[in-house]
PDB file of all heavy atoms in Angstrom:
ATOM      1  N   GLY S   4    -271.180  43.550 -70.385  1.00  0.00           N
ATOM      2  CA  GLY S   4    -272.211  42.577 -70.740  1.00  0.00           C
ATOM      3  C   GLY S   4    -272.583  42.670 -72.199  1.00  0.00           C
ATOM      4  O   GLY S   4    -272.749  43.771 -72.729  1.00  0.00           O
ATOM      5  N   THR S   5    -272.693  41.521 -72.872  1.00  0.00           N
ATOM      6  CA  THR S   5    -273.088  41.540 -74.279  1.00  0.00           C
ATOM      7  C   THR S   5    -274.538  41.111 -74.430  1.00  0.00           C
ATOM      8  O   THR S   5    -275.030  40.229 -73.721  1.00  0.00           O
ATOM      9  CB  THR S   5    -272.195  40.627 -75.138  1.00  0.00           C
ATOM     10  OG1 THR S   5    -272.457  39.259 -74.830  1.00  0.00           O
ATOM     11  CG2 THR S   5    -270.723  40.934 -74.913  1.00  0.00           C
ATOM     12  N   ALA S   6    -275.200  41.769 -75.362  1.00  0.00           N
ATOM     13  CA  ALA S   6    -276.589  41.460 -75.712  1.00  0.00           C
ATOM     14  C   ALA S   6    -276.910  42.265 -76.965  1.00  0.00           C
ATOM     15  O   ALA S   6    -276.128  43.140 -77.370  1.00  0.00           O
ATOM     16  CB  ALA S   6    -277.540  41.834 -74.576  1.00  0.00           C
ATOM     17  N   SER S   7    -278.040  42.005 -77.576  1.00  0.00           N
ATOM     18  CA  SER S   7    -278.450  42.793 -78.734  1.00  0.00           C
ATOM     19  C   SER S   7    -278.690  44.235 -78.295  1.00  0.00           C
ATOM     20  O   SER S   7    -279.053  44.493 -77.138  1.00  0.00           O
ATOM     21  CB  SER S   7    -279.698  42.205 -79.372  1.00  0.00           C
ATOM     22  OG  SER S   7    -280.756  42.136 -78.433  1.00  0.00           O
ATOM     23  N   PRO S   8    -278.479  45.216 -79.188  1.00  0.00           N
ATOM     24  CA  PRO S   8    -278.568  46.630 -78.805  1.00  0.00           C
ATOM     25  C   PRO S   8    -279.871  47.021 -78.130  1.00  0.00           C
ATOM     26  O   PRO S   8    -279.881  47.874 -77.235  1.00  0.00           O
ATOM     27  CB  PRO S   8    -278.393  47.356 -80.146  1.00  0.00           C
ATOM     28  CG  PRO S   8    -277.545  46.428 -80.965  1.00  0.00           C
ATOM     29  CD  PRO S   8    -278.013  45.048 -80.582  1.00  0.00           C
ATOM     30  N   GLY S   9    -280.983  46.387 -78.505  1.00  0.00           N
ATOM     31  CA  GLY S   9    -282.267  46.732 -77.906  1.00  0.00           C
ATOM     32  C   GLY S   9    -282.363  46.391 -76.428  1.00  0.00           C
ATOM     33  O   GLY S   9    -283.295  46.836 -75.749  1.00  0.00           O
ATOM     34  N   LYS S  10    -281.411  45.622 -75.913  1.00  0.00           N
ATOM     35  CA  LYS S  10    -281.430  45.223 -74.503  1.00  0.00           C
ATOM     36  C   LYS S  10    -280.418  46.002 -73.663  1.00  0.00           C
ATOM     37  O   LYS S  10    -280.306  45.767 -72.459  1.00  0.00           O
ATOM     38  CB  LYS S  10    -281.144  43.723 -74.394  1.00  0.00           C
ATOM     39  CG  LYS S  10    -282.169  42.855 -75.120  1.00  0.00           C
ATOM     40  CD  LYS S  10    -281.810  41.371 -75.037  1.00  0.00           C
ATOM     41  CE  LYS S  10    -282.826  40.519 -75.788  1.00  0.00           C
ATOM     42  NZ  LYS S  10    -282.527  39.070 -75.726  1.00  0.00           N
ATOM     43  N   HIS S  11    -279.671  46.920 -74.286  1.00  0.00           N
ATOM     44  CA  HIS S  11    -278.596  47.607 -73.566  1.00  0.00           C
ATOM     45  C   HIS S  11    -279.113  48.496 -72.442  1.00  0.00           C
ATOM     46  O   HIS S  11    -278.472  48.607 -71.388  1.00  0.00           O
ATOM     47  CB  HIS S  11    -277.746  48.415 -74.547  1.00  0.00           C
ATOM     48  CG  HIS S  11    -276.871  47.551 -75.402  1.00  0.00           C
ATOM     49  ND1 HIS S  11    -275.959  48.052 -76.310  1.00  0.00           N
ATOM     50  CD2 HIS S  11    -276.764  46.196 -75.492  1.00  0.00           C
ATOM     51  CE1 HIS S  11    -275.340  47.060 -76.913  1.00  0.00           C
ATOM     52  NE2 HIS S  11    -275.816  45.930 -76.442  1.00  0.00           N
ATOM     53  N   ALA S  12    -280.241  49.157 -72.658  1.00  0.00           N
ATOM     54  CA  ALA S  12    -280.788  50.017 -71.599  1.00  0.00           C
ATOM     55  C   ALA S  12    -281.119  49.190 -70.363  1.00  0.00           C
ATOM     56  O   ALA S  12    -280.854  49.606 -69.226  1.00  0.00           O
ATOM     57  CB  ALA S  12    -282.037  50.745 -72.104  1.00  0.00           C
ATOM     58  N   ALA S  13    -281.684  48.000 -70.585  1.00  0.00           N
ATOM     59  CA  ALA S  13    -282.003  47.124 -69.454  1.00  0.00           C
ATOM     60  C   ALA S  13    -280.730  46.670 -68.743  1.00  0.00           C
ATOM     61  O   ALA S  13    -280.701  46.586 -67.511  1.00  0.00           O
ATOM     62  CB  ALA S  13    -282.797  45.911 -69.944  1.00  0.00           C
ATOM     63  N   LEU S  14    -279.674  46.397 -69.507  1.00  0.00           N
ATOM     64  CA  LEU S  14    -278.419  45.987 -68.876  1.00  0.00           C
ATOM     65  C   LEU S  14    -277.868  47.106 -67.991  1.00  0.00           C
ATOM     66  O   LEU S  14    -277.371  46.848 -66.894  1.00  0.00           O
ATOM     67  CB  LEU S  14    -277.387  45.602 -69.934  1.00  0.00           C
ATOM     68  CG  LEU S  14    -277.659  44.323 -70.725  1.00  0.00           C
ATOM     69  CD1 LEU S  14    -276.474  44.011 -71.645  1.00  0.00           C
ATOM     70  CD2 LEU S  14    -277.922  43.147 -69.807  1.00  0.00           C
ATOM     71  N   ARG S  15    -277.946  48.326 -68.456  1.00  0.00           N
ATOM     72  CA  ARG S  15    -277.472  49.460 -67.639  1.00  0.00           C
ATOM     73  C   ARG S  15    -278.289  49.561 -66.357  1.00  0.00           C
ATOM     74  O   ARG S  15    -277.733  49.828 -65.275  1.00  0.00           O
ATOM     75  CB  ARG S  15    -277.563  50.764 -68.437  1.00  0.00           C
ATOM     76  CG  ARG S  15    -276.568  50.864 -69.593  1.00  0.00           C
ATOM     77  CD  ARG S  15    -276.556  52.264 -70.191  1.00  0.00           C
ATOM     78  NE  ARG S  15    -275.682  52.335 -71.348  1.00  0.00           N
ATOM     79  CZ  ARG S  15    -276.079  52.143 -72.599  1.00  0.00           C
ATOM     80  NH1 ARG S  15    -277.366  51.887 -72.843  1.00  0.00           N
ATOM     81  NH2 ARG S  15    -275.229  52.221 -73.600  1.00  0.00           N
ATOM     82  N   GLU S  16    -279.600  49.363 -66.456  1.00  0.00           N
ATOM     83  CA  GLU S  16    -280.454  49.431 -65.275  1.00  0.00           C
ATOM     84  C   GLU S  16    -280.071  48.372 -64.239  1.00  0.00           C
ATOM     85  O   GLU S  16    -280.242  48.584 -63.037  1.00  0.00           O
ATOM     86  CB  GLU S  16    -281.920  49.242 -65.676  1.00  0.00           C
ATOM     87  CG  GLU S  16    -282.498  50.412 -66.466  1.00  0.00           C
ATOM     88  CD  GLU S  16    -283.912  50.129 -66.955  1.00  0.00           C
ATOM     89  OE1 GLU S  16    -284.434  49.024 -66.638  1.00  0.00           O
ATOM     90  OE2 GLU S  16    -284.483  50.979 -67.650  1.00  0.00           O
ATOM     91  N   HIS S  17    -279.521  47.266 -64.698  1.00  0.00           N
ATOM     92  CA  HIS S  17    -279.126  46.187 -63.795  1.00  0.00           C
ATOM     93  C   HIS S  17    -277.670  46.287 -63.369  1.00  0.00           C
ATOM     94  O   HIS S  17    -277.142  45.372 -62.729  1.00  0.00           O
ATOM     95  CB  HIS S  17    -279.411  44.827 -64.440  1.00  0.00           C
ATOM     96  CG  HIS S  17    -280.860  44.453 -64.442  1.00  0.00           C
ATOM     97  ND1 HIS S  17    -281.722  44.780 -65.469  1.00  0.00           N
ATOM     98  CD2 HIS S  17    -281.621  43.810 -63.512  1.00  0.00           C
ATOM     99  CE1 HIS S  17    -282.931  44.337 -65.188  1.00  0.00           C
ATOM    100  NE2 HIS S  17    -282.901  43.752 -64.013  1.00  0.00           N
ATOM    101  N   GLY S  18    -276.998  47.379 -63.740  1.00  0.00           N
ATOM    102  CA  GLY S  18    -275.663  47.623 -63.217  1.00  0.00           C
ATOM    103  C   GLY S  18    -274.508  47.322 -64.143  1.00  0.00           C
ATOM    104  O   GLY S  18    -273.345  47.470 -63.738  1.00  0.00           O
ATOM    105  N   VAL S  19    -274.779  46.899 -65.377  1.00  0.00           N
ATOM    106  CA  VAL S  19    -273.688  46.623 -66.310  1.00  0.00           C
ATOM    107  C   VAL S  19    -272.971  47.931 -66.650  1.00  0.00           C
ATOM    108  O   VAL S  19    -273.601  48.920 -67.027  1.00  0.00           O
ATOM    109  CB  VAL S  19    -274.223  45.951 -67.593  1.00  0.00           C
ATOM    110  CG1 VAL S  19    -273.128  45.850 -68.652  1.00  0.00           C
ATOM    111  CG2 VAL S  19    -274.773  44.567 -67.266  1.00  0.00           C
ATOM    112  N   ASP S  20    -271.648  47.937 -66.507  1.00  0.00           N
ATOM    113  CA  ASP S  20    -270.869  49.158 -66.741  1.00  0.00           C
ATOM    114  C   ASP S  20    -270.723  49.468 -68.230  1.00  0.00           C
ATOM    115  O   ASP S  20    -270.729  50.632 -68.625  1.00  0.00           O
ATOM    116  CB  ASP S  20    -269.475  49.007 -66.115  1.00  0.00           C
ATOM    117  CG  ASP S  20    -269.545  48.833 -64.607  1.00  0.00           C
ATOM    118  OD1 ASP S  20    -269.742  49.841 -63.909  1.00  0.00           O
ATOM    119  OD2 ASP S  20    -269.427  47.690 -64.130  1.00  0.00           O
ATOM    120  N   LEU S  21    -270.586  48.418 -69.044  1.00  0.00           N
ATOM    121  CA  LEU S  21    -270.419  48.626 -70.482  1.00  0.00           C
ATOM    122  C   LEU S  21    -271.212  47.573 -71.248  1.00  0.00           C
ATOM    123  O   LEU S  21    -270.762  46.438 -71.406  1.00  0.00           O
ATOM    124  CB  LEU S  21    -268.935  48.541 -70.871  1.00  0.00           C
ATOM    125  CG  LEU S  21    -268.634  48.694 -72.373  1.00  0.00           C
ATOM    126  CD1 LEU S  21    -269.039  50.079 -72.877  1.00  0.00           C
ATOM    127  CD2 LEU S  21    -267.147  48.422 -72.653  1.00  0.00           C
ATOM    128  N   PRO S  22    -272.421  47.929 -71.733  1.00  0.00           N
ATOM    129  CA  PRO S  22    -273.168  46.991 -72.584  1.00  0.00           C
ATOM    130  C   PRO S  22    -272.605  47.043 -74.003  1.00  0.00           C
ATOM    131  O   PRO S  22    -272.323  48.126 -74.540  1.00  0.00           O
ATOM    132  CB  PRO S  22    -274.599  47.545 -72.553  1.00  0.00           C
ATOM    133  CG  PRO S  22    -274.613  48.632 -71.520  1.00  0.00           C
ATOM    134  CD  PRO S  22    -273.212  49.133 -71.426  1.00  0.00           C
ATOM    135  N   LEU S  23    -272.447  45.890 -74.624  1.00  0.00           N
ATOM    136  CA  LEU S  23    -271.938  45.812 -75.988  1.00  0.00           C
ATOM    137  C   LEU S  23    -272.757  44.810 -76.786  1.00  0.00           C
ATOM    138  O   LEU S  23    -273.346  43.880 -76.234  1.00  0.00           O
ATOM    139  CB  LEU S  23    -270.465  45.380 -75.991  1.00  0.00           C
ATOM    140  CG  LEU S  23    -269.446  46.374 -75.418  1.00  0.00           C
ATOM    141  CD1 LEU S  23    -268.060  45.719 -75.345  1.00  0.00           C
ATOM    142  CD2 LEU S  23    -269.390  47.642 -76.252  1.00  0.00           C
ATOM    143  N   ASP S  24    -272.761  45.007 -78.094  1.00  0.00           N
ATOM    144  CA  ASP S  24    -273.428  44.094 -79.011  1.00  0.00           C
ATOM    145  C   ASP S  24    -272.537  42.878 -79.224  1.00  0.00           C
ATOM    146  O   ASP S  24    -271.412  43.000 -79.705  1.00  0.00           O
ATOM    147  CB  ASP S  24    -273.685  44.808 -80.338  1.00  0.00           C
ATOM    148  CG  ASP S  24    -274.431  43.940 -81.344  1.00  0.00           C
ATOM    149  OD1 ASP S  24    -274.717  42.765 -81.046  1.00  0.00           O
ATOM    150  OD2 ASP S  24    -274.713  44.446 -82.449  1.00  0.00           O
ATOM    151  N   GLY S  25    -273.031  41.699 -78.871  1.00  0.00           N
ATOM    152  CA  GLY S  25    -272.238  40.493 -79.011  1.00  0.00           C
ATOM    153  C   GLY S  25    -271.884  40.159 -80.445  1.00  0.00           C
ATOM    154  O   GLY S  25    -270.959  39.378 -80.692  1.00  0.00           O
ATOM    155  N   GLN S  26    -272.602  40.749 -81.426  1.00  0.00           N
ATOM    156  CA  GLN S  26    -272.332  40.498 -82.844  1.00  0.00           C
ATOM    157  C   GLN S  26    -271.440  41.571 -83.468  1.00  0.00           C
ATOM    158  O   GLN S  26    -271.139  41.508 -84.660  1.00  0.00           O
ATOM    159  CB  GLN S  26    -273.649  40.433 -83.627  1.00  0.00           C
ATOM    160  CG  GLN S  26    -274.617  39.375 -83.119  1.00  0.00           C
ATOM    161  CD  GLN S  26    -274.030  37.984 -83.187  1.00  0.00           C
ATOM    162  OE1 GLN S  26    -273.421  37.604 -84.188  1.00  0.00           O
ATOM    163  NE2 GLN S  26    -274.204  37.205 -82.122  1.00  0.00           N
ATOM    164  N   ASP S  27    -271.011  42.537 -82.686  1.00  0.00           N
ATOM    165  CA  ASP S  27    -270.163  43.621 -83.191  1.00  0.00           C
ATOM    166  C   ASP S  27    -268.804  43.061 -83.619  1.00  0.00           C
ATOM    167  O   ASP S  27    -268.101  42.454 -82.795  1.00  0.00           O
ATOM    168  CB  ASP S  27    -269.982  44.669 -82.084  1.00  0.00           C
ATOM    169  CG  ASP S  27    -269.237  45.915 -82.551  1.00  0.00           C
ATOM    170  OD1 ASP S  27    -268.612  45.874 -83.632  1.00  0.00           O
ATOM    171  OD2 ASP S  27    -269.278  46.920 -81.821  1.00  0.00           O
ATOM    172  N   PRO S  28    -268.397  43.246 -84.874  1.00  0.00           N
ATOM    173  CA  PRO S  28    -267.087  42.736 -85.296  1.00  0.00           C
ATOM    174  C   PRO S  28    -265.926  43.387 -84.564  1.00  0.00           C
ATOM    175  O   PRO S  28    -264.813  42.862 -84.564  1.00  0.00           O
ATOM    176  CB  PRO S  28    -267.064  43.042 -86.804  1.00  0.00           C
ATOM    177  CG  PRO S  28    -268.076  44.122 -86.999  1.00  0.00           C
ATOM    178  CD  PRO S  28    -269.137  43.885 -85.977  1.00  0.00           C
ATOM    179  N   ASP S  29    -266.199  44.535 -83.928  1.00  0.00           N
ATOM    180  CA  ASP S  29    -265.164  45.253 -83.183  1.00  0.00           C
ATOM    181  C   ASP S  29    -265.251  44.986 -81.685  1.00  0.00           C
ATOM    182  O   ASP S  29    -264.662  45.728 -80.888  1.00  0.00           O
ATOM    183  CB  ASP S  29    -265.316  46.753 -83.463  1.00  0.00           C
ATOM    184  CG  ASP S  29    -263.972  47.488 -83.423  1.00  0.00           C
ATOM    185  OD1 ASP S  29    -262.925  46.816 -83.541  1.00  0.00           O
ATOM    186  OD2 ASP S  29    -263.989  48.715 -83.263  1.00  0.00           O
ATOM    187  N   LEU S  30    -265.968  43.922 -81.313  1.00  0.00           N
ATOM    188  CA  LEU S  30    -266.239  43.641 -79.905  1.00  0.00           C
ATOM    189  C   LEU S  30    -264.956  43.487 -79.090  1.00  0.00           C
ATOM    190  O   LEU S  30    -264.808  44.106 -78.027  1.00  0.00           O
ATOM    191  CB  LEU S  30    -267.081  42.374 -79.788  1.00  0.00           C
ATOM    192  CG  LEU S  30    -267.394  41.882 -78.373  1.00  0.00           C
ATOM    193  CD1 LEU S  30    -268.274  42.882 -77.630  1.00  0.00           C
ATOM    194  CD2 LEU S  30    -268.087  40.509 -78.422  1.00  0.00           C
ATOM    195  N   ALA S  31    -264.025  42.693 -79.558  1.00  0.00           N
ATOM    196  CA  ALA S  31    -262.810  42.412 -78.792  1.00  0.00           C
ATOM    197  C   ALA S  31    -262.014  43.689 -78.532  1.00  0.00           C
ATOM    198  O   ALA S  31    -261.503  43.904 -77.422  1.00  0.00           O
ATOM    199  CB  ALA S  31    -261.944  41.390 -79.523  1.00  0.00           C
ATOM    200  N   ARG S  32    -261.914  44.562 -79.536  1.00  0.00           N
ATOM    201  CA  ARG S  32    -261.154  45.802 -79.350  1.00  0.00           C
ATOM    202  C   ARG S  32    -261.814  46.680 -78.294  1.00  0.00           C
ATOM    203  O   ARG S  32    -261.126  47.275 -77.447  1.00  0.00           O
ATOM    204  CB  ARG S  32    -261.041  46.568 -80.668  1.00  0.00           C
ATOM    205  CG  ARG S  32    -260.207  47.857 -80.539  1.00  0.00           C
ATOM    206  CD  ARG S  32    -260.363  48.775 -81.731  1.00  0.00           C
ATOM    207  NE  ARG S  32    -261.729  49.245 -81.890  1.00  0.00           N
ATOM    208  CZ  ARG S  32    -262.273  50.216 -81.168  1.00  0.00           C
ATOM    209  NH1 ARG S  32    -261.577  50.809 -80.194  1.00  0.00           N
ATOM    210  NH2 ARG S  32    -263.515  50.594 -81.384  1.00  0.00           N
ATOM    211  N   LYS S  33    -263.139  46.772 -78.323  1.00  0.00           N
ATOM    212  CA  LYS S  33    -263.846  47.615 -77.362  1.00  0.00           C
ATOM    213  C   LYS S  33    -263.653  47.098 -75.931  1.00  0.00           C
ATOM    214  O   LYS S  33    -263.531  47.890 -74.990  1.00  0.00           O
ATOM    215  CB  LYS S  33    -265.330  47.693 -77.726  1.00  0.00           C
ATOM    216  CG  LYS S  33    -265.591  48.470 -79.014  1.00  0.00           C
ATOM    217  CD  LYS S  33    -267.070  48.499 -79.368  1.00  0.00           C
ATOM    218  CE  LYS S  33    -267.306  49.299 -80.640  1.00  0.00           C
ATOM    219  NZ  LYS S  33    -268.743  49.333 -81.036  1.00  0.00           N
ATOM    220  N   ILE S  34    -263.625  45.778 -75.789  1.00  0.00           N
ATOM    221  CA  ILE S  34    -263.398  45.217 -74.455  1.00  0.00           C
ATOM    222  C   ILE S  34    -261.964  45.498 -74.002  1.00  0.00           C
ATOM    223  O   ILE S  34    -261.719  45.859 -72.842  1.00  0.00           O
ATOM    224  CB  ILE S  34    -263.687  43.705 -74.443  1.00  0.00           C
ATOM    225  CG1 ILE S  34    -265.184  43.459 -74.690  1.00  0.00           C
ATOM    226  CG2 ILE S  34    -263.265  43.074 -73.119  1.00  0.00           C
ATOM    227  CD1 ILE S  34    -265.558  42.001 -74.849  1.00  0.00           C
ATOM    228  N   ARG S  35    -261.008  45.354 -74.906  1.00  0.00           N
ATOM    229  CA  ARG S  35    -259.609  45.648 -74.552  1.00  0.00           C
ATOM    230  C   ARG S  35    -259.437  47.120 -74.192  1.00  0.00           C
ATOM    231  O   ARG S  35    -258.700  47.462 -73.257  1.00  0.00           O
ATOM    232  CB  ARG S  35    -258.685  45.287 -75.717  1.00  0.00           C
ATOM    233  CG  ARG S  35    -258.520  43.792 -75.927  1.00  0.00           C
ATOM    234  CD  ARG S  35    -257.350  43.485 -76.849  1.00  0.00           C
ATOM    235  NE  ARG S  35    -257.282  42.063 -77.137  1.00  0.00           N
ATOM    236  CZ  ARG S  35    -257.842  41.486 -78.198  1.00  0.00           C
ATOM    237  NH1 ARG S  35    -258.510  42.230 -79.071  1.00  0.00           N
ATOM    238  NH2 ARG S  35    -257.750  40.186 -78.382  1.00  0.00           N
ATOM    239  N   ASP S  36    -260.114  48.002 -74.918  1.00  0.00           N
ATOM    240  CA  ASP S  36    -260.039  49.431 -74.598  1.00  0.00           C
ATOM    241  C   ASP S  36    -260.578  49.693 -73.199  1.00  0.00           C
ATOM    242  O   ASP S  36    -260.026  50.511 -72.448  1.00  0.00           O
ATOM    243  CB  ASP S  36    -260.833  50.245 -75.623  1.00  0.00           C
ATOM    244  CG  ASP S  36    -260.141  50.330 -76.978  1.00  0.00           C
ATOM    245  OD1 ASP S  36    -258.952  49.948 -77.068  1.00  0.00           O
ATOM    246  OD2 ASP S  36    -260.793  50.765 -77.942  1.00  0.00           O
ATOM    247  N   PHE S  37    -261.668  49.006 -72.836  1.00  0.00           N
ATOM    248  CA  PHE S  37    -262.255  49.177 -71.503  1.00  0.00           C
ATOM    249  C   PHE S  37    -261.261  48.747 -70.427  1.00  0.00           C
ATOM    250  O   PHE S  37    -261.217  49.326 -69.337  1.00  0.00           O
ATOM    251  CB  PHE S  37    -263.545  48.367 -71.397  1.00  0.00           C
ATOM    252  CG  PHE S  37    -264.284  48.539 -70.096  1.00  0.00           C
ATOM    253  CD1 PHE S  37    -265.041  49.682 -69.850  1.00  0.00           C
ATOM    254  CD2 PHE S  37    -264.233  47.550 -69.117  1.00  0.00           C
ATOM    255  CE1 PHE S  37    -265.723  49.838 -68.649  1.00  0.00           C
ATOM    256  CE2 PHE S  37    -264.903  47.699 -67.912  1.00  0.00           C
ATOM    257  CZ  PHE S  37    -265.657  48.846 -67.679  1.00  0.00           C
TER     258      PHE S  37
END
């Protein structure tokens, strides 16, 4: 799940396995690694 970093803890609480910053320039690589 992507969201701003300040929301990542909430995403984990709701079951997201890997929260990521949607504005991260390395986003695609991190998803491929997962």
